[in-house]
C-alpha cells in the first residue's frame, strides 16, 4: 500500500491531481489555503487564499513552464515544476521574462498558435525565475504553534533555519533565491560535512563543503540529478536525492561518465543540442552505479 509511485506513469487526470497536491503542500508554507476548482473558473485551476483573509490568487497549474496568449491580461499566476523546483509566476510577468531571455516569442508556435511550453528552460531564464521559486518547509509546523505572516504576495522567504555544520546560516534573501540549498546542506551535514558559502565566482545553488580536515569542495545543489557540458573539467561536485530520498555526492565528470555507461541521456537532444540533462527518476542500473557515492546520513 505505502509504496512510492512513478508520477510519469500516471494518466493525465491523475498527474493533475498529483501536481495540485504537491503544489498545495508547498504553498501552505507561505500561508495559502488552496481550493481546487472543477470548472476552470476564469482560467484558474485552483484558488490560493491567504490566511490574511484578503488575498486570493487565481492559479493555472501546468506540468511544465507554459505561456499562452489566452491567459494574457487575466491576472493569472502560472504554477509549474521545473528540474525539481516549483515556481509561481504571474503569467504576464512570465511572458515578459521569456521575451527578455529567450527567442520563444519569435517562434511559429507562439506567433501562429499563441502557445509555448518547455521542460528545459535555459539557465539564463531559470536564473531570472529564481525569485518566484517555492522552497519547501523543512519541518511541519505544529497546529498549536502560531506565527505571523510577513507578506501575502509569494514567493515569501522561507522561515529561518539553524546554522549548518557550524557555519553561519544562509540569509533569508539567499535561501529565497536558492530553494535547494537548505535541504542539500542538511543532507551533507548529516553525513559529516561542514557547509559554508561557496567561492565568490559561484552564483546560484552552490555550497562549499568540507569533511573533517579535508580539502573544501564546491558543490552544486540542483534538487535532482543534473549534468551540464559547461561544467565538465571544473572539479565541481553534484549533490542530489533519488526518487526514494537517498542522497548522493558525486564529482560532476564522474556523474557524466555513469550517465554515459548506464543511460541513453547523452544521446538525447537535450544533451546534444542544449548541453544538459536532468532527471528526478533514476533507473535501477543508474542507481547501482551511484551506490558507492551515497551519503551516509544515519
Amino acid at each position: 500500500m505505502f509504496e512510492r509511485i512513478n508520477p510519469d506513469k500516471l494518466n493525465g487526470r491523475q498527474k493533475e491531481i498529483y501536481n495540485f497536491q504537491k503544489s498545495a503542500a508547498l504553498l501552505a508554507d507561505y500561508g495559502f489555503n488552496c481550493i481546487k476548482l472543477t470548472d476552470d473558473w476564469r482560467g484558474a485551476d485552483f484558488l490560493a487564499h491567504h490566511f490574511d483573509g484578503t488575498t486570493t490568487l487565481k492559479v493555472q497549474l501546468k506540468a511544465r513552464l507554459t505561456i499562452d496568449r489566452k491567459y494574457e491580461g487575466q491576472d493569472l499566476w502560472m504554477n509549474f515544476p521545473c528540474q525539481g523546483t516549483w515556481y509561481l509566476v504571474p503569467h504576464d510577468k512570465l511572458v515578459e521574462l521569456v521575451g527578455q531571455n529567450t527567442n520563444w516569442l519569435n517562434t511559429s508556435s507562439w506567433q501562429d498558435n499563441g502557445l509555448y511550453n518547455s521542460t528545459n528552460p535555459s539557465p539564463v531564464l531559470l536564473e531570472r525565475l529564481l525569485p518566484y521559486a517555492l522552497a519547501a518547509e523543512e519541518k511541519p509546523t505544529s497546529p498549536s504553534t502560531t506565527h505571523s505572516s510577513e507578506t501575502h504576495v509569494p514567493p515569501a522567504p522561507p522561515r529561518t533555519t539553524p546554522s549548518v555544520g557550524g557555519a553561519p546560516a544562509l540569509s533569508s534573501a539567499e535561501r529565497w533565491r536558492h530553494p535547494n540549498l537548505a535541504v542539500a546542506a542538511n543532507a551533507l551535514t548529516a553525513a559529516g560535512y561542514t557547509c559554508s558559502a561557496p567561492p565568490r565566482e559561484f552564483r546560484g545553488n552552490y555550497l562549499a563543503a568540507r569533511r573533517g580536515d579535508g580539502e573544501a569542495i564546491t558543490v552544486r545543489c540542483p534538487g535532482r540529478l543534473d549534468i551540464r557540458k559547461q561544467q565538465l573539467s571544473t572539479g565541481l561536485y553534484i549533490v542530489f536525492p533519488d526518487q526514494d530520498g537517498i542522497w548522493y555526492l558525486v564529482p560532476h565528470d564522474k556523474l557524466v561518465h555513469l550517465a554515459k555507461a548506464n543511460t541513453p541521456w547523452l544521446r538525447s537532444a537535450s544533451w546534444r543540442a542544449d548541453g544538459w540533462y536532468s532527471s528526478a527518476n533514476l533507473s535501477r542500473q543508474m542507481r547501482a552505479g551511484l551506490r558507492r557515492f551515497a551519503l551516509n546520513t544515519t
Side-chain angles (χ1 to χ4, degrees), residues 89-153:
V89 193
H91 175 269
D92 292 358
K93 181 64 176 180
L94 184 57
V95 173
E96 176 186 330
L97 292 174
V98 163
Q100 293 171 349
N101 298 281
T102 75
N103 70 340
W104 298 353
L105 301 187
N106 298 320
T107 63
S108 59
S109 178
W110 178 259
Q111 293 288 336
D112 299 337
N113 303 317
L115 176 68
Y116 198 98
N117 58 63
S118 175
T119 57
N120 288 300
S122 69
V124 174
L125 180 57
L126 285 177
E127 179 70 21
R128 296 297 304 275
L129 288 173
L130 280 173
Y132 301 96
L134 298 173
E137 178 66 81
E138 294 176 30
K139 296 181 180 179
T141 302
S142 168
S144 61
T145 302
T146 59
H147 58 84
S148 60
S149 176
E150 297 180 353
T151 181
H152 61 265
V153 178

Side-chain angles (χ1 to χ4, degrees), residues 13-171:
R13 178 59 177 162
Q14 290 170 334
K15 285 182 180 179
E16 183 178 349
I17 294 172
Y18 173 87
N19 284 336
F20 169 71
Q21 298 294 345
K22 284 285 192 179
S23 185
L26 279 174
L27 286 169
D29 290 337
Y30 293 88
F32 285 91
N33 173 33
C34 295
I35 305 166
K36 189 76 172 71
L37 302 175
T38 59
D39 58 356
D40 205 28
W41 180 74
R42 295 188 179 180
D45 288 317
F46 68 89
L47 301 178
H49 186 65
H50 198 270
F51 294 157
D52 64 8
T54 61
T55 302
T56 299
L57 306 180
K58 296 184 298 178
V59 183
Q60 173 65 218
L61 179 65
K62 294 295 184 183
R64 60 183 65 190
L65 189 160
T66 301
I67 54 175
D68 195 321
R69 194 169 286 131
K70 70 182 180 182
Y71 297 142
E72 291 184 329
Q74 301 298 312
D75 192 28
L76 283 171
W77 292 69
M78 304 304 289
N79 186 209
F80 57 90
C82 185
Q83 300 182 27
T85 298
W86 279 87
Y87 297 85
L88 185 63
V89 193
H91 175 269
D92 292 358
K93 181 64 176 180
L94 184 57
V95 173
E96 176 186 330
L97 292 174
V98 163
Q100 293 171 349
N101 298 281
T102 75
N103 70 340
W104 298 353
L105 301 187
N106 298 320
T107 63
S108 59
S109 178
W110 178 259
Q111 293 288 336
D112 299 337
N113 303 317
L115 176 68
Y116 198 98
N117 58 63
S118 175
T119 57
N120 288 300
S122 69
V124 174
L125 180 57
L126 285 177
E127 179 70 21
R128 296 297 304 275
L129 288 173
L130 280 173
Y132 301 96
L134 298 173
E137 178 66 81
E138 294 176 30
K139 296 181 180 179
T141 302
S142 168
S144 61
T145 302
T146 59
H147 58 84
S148 60
S149 176
E150 297 180 353
T151 181
H152 61 265
V153 178
R159 299 181 184 91
T160 301
T161 54
S163 296
V164 178
L170 296 169
S171 70

Side-chain angles (χ1 to χ4, degrees), residues 1-5:
M1 176 181 177
F2 296 109
E3 294 183 2
R4 289 182 177 271
I5 63 168

